[in-house]
Amino acid sequence: MFGAIEAGGTKFVCGVGTGPQDLVTTQIPTTTPDATVAAAVDWIRQQSAGRLTAVGIGSFGPVDLNTGYITSTPKAAWRNYDLAGRVEKGLGVPVGFDTDVNAAILGEARWGAARGVSNCLYLTIGTGIGGGAIVGGQVVHGLAHPEMGHIRIPHDAAEDPYAGICPFHGDCLEGLASGPAIEGRWGARAWDLPPDHAAWVLETRYLALGIANFVCTLSPERILIGGGVMRQSQLYQTVTGEVGRILAGYVSKRPEIGPPQLGELAGVIGALALAGRMHESG
Amino acid sequence: MFGAIEAGGTKFVCGVGTGPQDLVTTQIPTTTPDATVAAAVDWIRQQSAGRLTAVGIGSFGPVDLNTGYITSTPKAAWRNYDLAGRVEKGLGVPVGFDTDVNAAILGEARWGAARGVSNCLYLTIGTGIGGGAIVGGQVVHGLAHPEMGHIRIPHDAAEDPYAGICPFHGDCLEGLASGPAIEGRWGARAWDLPPDHAAWVLETRYLALGIANFVCTLSPERILIGGGVMRQSQLYQTVTGEVGRILAGYVSKRPEIGPPQLGELAGVIGALALAGRMHESG
């Protein structure tokens, strides 16, 4: 039996089970680090009743994958916090640790919309923009973890004078196309704007420019896009069309683009997959 | 003993050996497909004197990695040409086939400047711009092969009114920063422009924007940049600095950026590495 934690900035989603079919979950509000981890550990310990073999954590970031620490987050109390270490001490089992988006693509690859595909990409378009990729069956890590939301794309300031909301880069992909960027530009939340609002022409363009760059770099077979902004589900079709126009026939095979299948539970199910990998690797 | 072919648009570099230490090479001008392949096959057969176990080909593209064909190249005679199949028939040994840039990163990882690194990127800045990546020790393939030169980057038309030279995308990275783009914009070849020419401020900016996007997507530990434009070797330092400015402290660990080590022979040595992999995998 495995434990799973999707560690988010506003809530921790915790789970215990062997797969999506028997997964039991709960939500814990994110408060101070020690109190939040203690609550998560207590719940997992009770639910698993001594039968726990490993825990997986998919965490908000940035994180240091070597040490299991959350690093330079704007949430001051969580900065340089030993999340993986605290959970490991609390539960006494090995911990598999990765970013929330890497956990999500791992879960989708094992149990969701990316089954049977060795090269795939998960993007979340919400409070921020993040991406996790699998290449040749392996989650992409490197010097650190990818920060796909922070790529630079063309931004025509005459067409869209909004300067972008990223505190580091201004008009990177996240700065132009995240939920807060939409709200900052139009003065309304993404889900309150009607589907025929001009916001979605611009959003389609920016998301498609980002995705075209990921296609040219990673050549994924399938791309799953989740996150709050994608509740505007017309975007799946408009973005798919625009990616085709941007690639302009140069890349002859284009990946399928669609929603993830595990929905709200993608993160915690991905953390469960991390726990499973941890267990298998000894 | 392995055979190796770096198949380029102007020349085929052929080699026979077991590694860089005993590699013997020759160059064959690229003419018609059948004549060029026949000359390459004859030379490799003679040099190897019956001791050949596998051949590797790093090819100009785009290619279809499943079939071994060159596909939609502007060189009409080579379009939809069964390069891997013709070489396999000619030499009677298994053929490892990949793009020229994927072969180059494989060669650099085995014998050159990317030894000891599991996540690395090779870029060539010349007639075109191409990239090959290794992630977790594996060359990145997917639905097709990456086309890194064709990512879109910010292009300020007020600062640089040049529209870009890519016939598919206009001002993609290759359209703005390849050798022909430099020549098109400034009316002089890259190697004829002095190191303090304004061309290099713009070139630094574009290359760094592209590299920052690759860093955010792949998180490589090391980036090697080759190709004719990089004979302007001041670019290594200026691009490294500009990548740091663009990432703006968000990505705390930055990859090393430098030249490849195998120089002019990177392609054919990479093809030798492909032959070795083909042999090992049976």
Side-chain angles (χ1 to χ4, degrees):
Chain A
M1 183 166 285
F2 300 124
I5 300 174
E6 181 193 4
T10 57
K11 63 178 191 282
F12 273 41
V13 184
C14 302
V16 166
T18 63
Q21 73 289 347
D22 63 6
L23 184 71
V24 180
T25 66
T26 194
Q27 294 193 5
I28 292 165
T30 305
T31 57
T32 64
D34 286 342
T36 314
V37 167
V41 162
D42 285 348
W43 183 86
I44 290 174
R45 192 189 291 123
Q46 284 190 338
Q47 286 293 322
S48 57
R51 289 173 297 154
L52 206 64
T53 50
V55 179
I57 306 175
S59 179
F60 71 103
V63 298
D64 185 327
L65 298 175
N66 295 318
T67 63
Y69 276 60
I70 294 176
T71 58
S72 55
T73 172
K75 297 172 82 73
W78 288 87
R79 211 169 287 155
N80 298 314
Y81 183 74
D82 181 15
L83 178 57
R86 296 301 176 98
V87 171
E88 189 169 0
K89 254 179 218 154
L91 288 167
V93 296
V95 171
F97 184 70
D98 213 322
T99 64
D100 44 10
V101 284
N102 280 347
I105 188 62
L106 204 54
E108 291 288 340
R110 179 150 176 192
W111 287 301
R115 267 174 297 179
V117 170
S118 303
N119 303 282
C120 49
L121 173 64
Y122 173 90
L123 296 171
T124 177
I125 319 295
T127 310
I129 293 183
I134 287 181
V135 166
Q138 289 186 78
V139 175
V140 173
H141 297 122
L143 188 61
H145 52 80
E147 288 287 357
M148 297 193 199
H150 295 274
I151 65 165
R152 304 299 174 89
I153 56 170
H155 170 207
D156 181 347
E159 183 193 5
D160 172 27
Y162 184 66
I165 204 167
C166 175
F168 290 89
H169 313 119
D171 63 353
C172 63
L173 179 59
E174 177 172 306
L176 289 172
S178 63
I182 295 169
E183 194 175 338
R185 185 187 290 111
W186 302 102
R189 295 195 172 199
W191 45 88
D192 292 332
L193 292 167
D196 60 353
H197 192 280
W200 306 120
V201 178
L202 216 49
E203 184 72 7
T204 294
R205 176 91 188 140
Y206 292 141
L207 293 181
L209 282 164
I211 288 169
N213 282 0
F214 300 137
V215 169
C216 289
T217 309
L218 290 165
S219 195
E221 296 161 83
R222 199 168 292 163
I223 299 175
L224 309 177
I225 322 180
V229 171
M230 298 306 292
R231 281 187 251 165
Q232 295 277 352
S233 59
Q234 75 280 8
L235 287 171
Y236 290 103
Q237 203 186 335
T238 58
V239 167
T240 300
E242 184 73 5
V243 168
R245 276 187 291 279
I246 290 169
L247 293 175
Y250 190 73
V251 175
S252 55
K253 297 181 194 165
R254 287 203 298 272
E256 303 163 49
I257 297 175
Q261 212 173 74
L262 304 175
E264 300 280 311
L265 292 177
V268 67
I269 291 175
L272 204 71
L274 274 172
R277 287 214 165 182
M278 192 65 201
H279 180 62
E280 285 156 23
S281 72
Chain B
M1 182 165 285
F2 301 124
I5 300 174
E6 181 193 6
T10 56
K11 62 177 192 286
F12 273 40
V13 184
C14 302
V16 166
T18 64
Q21 73 288 347
D22 63 6
L23 184 71
V24 180
T25 67
T26 194
Q27 294 194 3
I28 293 164
T30 304
T31 56
T32 65
D34 286 342
T36 314
V37 167
V41 161
D42 285 349
W43 183 86
I44 290 174
R45 192 190 291 123
Q46 283 189 337
Q47 287 293 322
S48 57
R51 289 172 297 153
L52 206 64
T53 52
V55 178
I57 306 175
S59 179
F60 72 105
V63 298
D64 184 328
L65 297 176
N66 295 316
T67 63
Y69 275 61
I70 294 174
T71 59
S72 56
T73 171
K75 296 174 82 75
W78 288 87
R79 211 170 288 158
N80 298 316
Y81 184 74
D82 181 14
L83 178 57
R86 296 301 176 97
V87 171
E88 189 168 359
K89 252 179 221 154
L91 288 168
V93 295
V95 170
F97 183 70
D98 212 324
T99 63
D100 44 9
V101 283
N102 280 347
I105 188 62
L106 204 56
E108 291 288 340
R110 180 151 178 193
W111 287 302
R115 268 175 297 179
V117 170
S118 303
N119 303 282
C120 49
L121 173 63
Y122 173 90
L123 296 171
T124 177
I125 319 296
T127 310
I129 293 183
I134 287 180
V135 166
Q138 289 185 79
V139 176
V140 174
H141 298 122
L143 188 61
H145 53 79
E147 287 287 358
M148 298 194 199
H150 295 274
I151 67 165
R152 304 299 172 89
I153 56 169
H155 170 206
D156 181 348
E159 184 194 3
D160 172 28
Y162 184 67
I165 204 166
C166 175
F168 290 89
H169 311 120
D171 63 352
C172 63
L173 179 59
E174 178 172 305
L176 290 171
S178 62
I182 295 169
E183 193 173 341
R185 185 186 290 112
W186 302 103
R189 296 195 172 200
W191 46 87
D192 291 331
L193 292 166
D196 60 352
H197 193 279
W200 306 120
V201 177
L202 215 50
E203 184 71 7
T204 294
R205 176 91 189 142
Y206 293 141
L207 293 181
L209 281 164
I211 288 169
N213 282 0
F214 300 137
V215 168
C216 288
T217 309
L218 291 166
S219 195
E221 298 161 81
R222 199 168 293 163
I223 299 175
L224 310 178
I225 321 179
V229 172
M230 298 306 292
R231 280 187 252 166
Q232 294 277 352
S233 60
Q234 76 279 8
L235 287 172
Y236 289 102
Q237 202 187 335
T238 58
V239 167
T240 300
E242 184 72 5
V243 168
R245 276 187 292 279
I246 290 168
L247 294 175
Y250 190 75
V251 175
S252 55
K253 296 180 194 165
R254 287 204 298 272
E256 303 163 48
I257 297 174
Q261 210 174 78
L262 304 176
E264 300 280 310
L265 292 177
V268 68
I269 291 175
L272 203 71
L274 272 173
R277 288 213 165 183
M278 192 65 200
H279 180 63
E280 284 157 24
S281 71

